[in-house]
Amino acid sequence: MDAMALGIIMGGLAGGLLGLVYFGGLKLTVDRLAAARRPGLLFAGSFLFRVILVTAGFVYVLRESLAGFLAGFLVFILVRERMTSKFRLLPPGTAAADEGAGREHHP
């Protein structure tokens, strides 16, 4: 395996991990906002931590390989799409929200 292929694989793995950390952290933050004494501080602190972590991770990957960075960024976006579709908020009473909650929809 040549260096470029290894860089692409490692960049993709790093992008997936960074995506899970960023969007998983966002989900945890949103879940805890209602119970937080200072929701603004929680949101801002979480955002700052996640952005610094992801930026540092992508800078490291970019220093190793441009192709790895591009692969990592692509996987990061794919993780975003998967997580946002999995945890999408739907208004109560819609068929999709009722199905997701395990309830039957009766018109």
Side-chain angles (χ1 to χ4, degrees):
M1 183 179 309
D2 66 343
M4 180 179 252
L6 185 61
I8 290 171
I9 291 169
M10 296 304 287
L13 290 173
L17 180 63
L18 290 170
L20 288 173
V21 168
Y22 185 87
F23 296 106
L26 177 60
K27 169 84 168 96
L28 289 174
T29 301
V30 169
D31 288 346
R32 296 190 172 148
L33 279 178
R37 280 191 1 225
R38 300 171 118 186
L41 185 60
L42 172 64
F43 190 77
S46 171
F47 174 74
L48 191 60
F49 176 75
R50 288 181 289 117
V51 166
I52 289 171
L53 187 68
V54 169
T55 301
F58 275 125
V59 166
Y60 178 77
V61 171
L62 182 59
R63 291 179 61 173
E64 296 298 319
S65 161
L66 177 60
F69 169 77
L70 294 174
F73 190 70
L74 176 65
V75 173
F76 182 84
I77 297 301
L78 292 173
V79 168
R80 173 187 169 263
E81 291 300 315
R82 174 70 177 127
M83 290 187 78
T84 55
S85 68
K86 183 176 181 180
F87 298 116
R88 188 169 310 263
L89 295 176
L90 298 172
T94 61
D98 292 340
E99 289 172 16
R103 293 174 268 160
E104 293 182 27
H105 180 67
H106 299 289

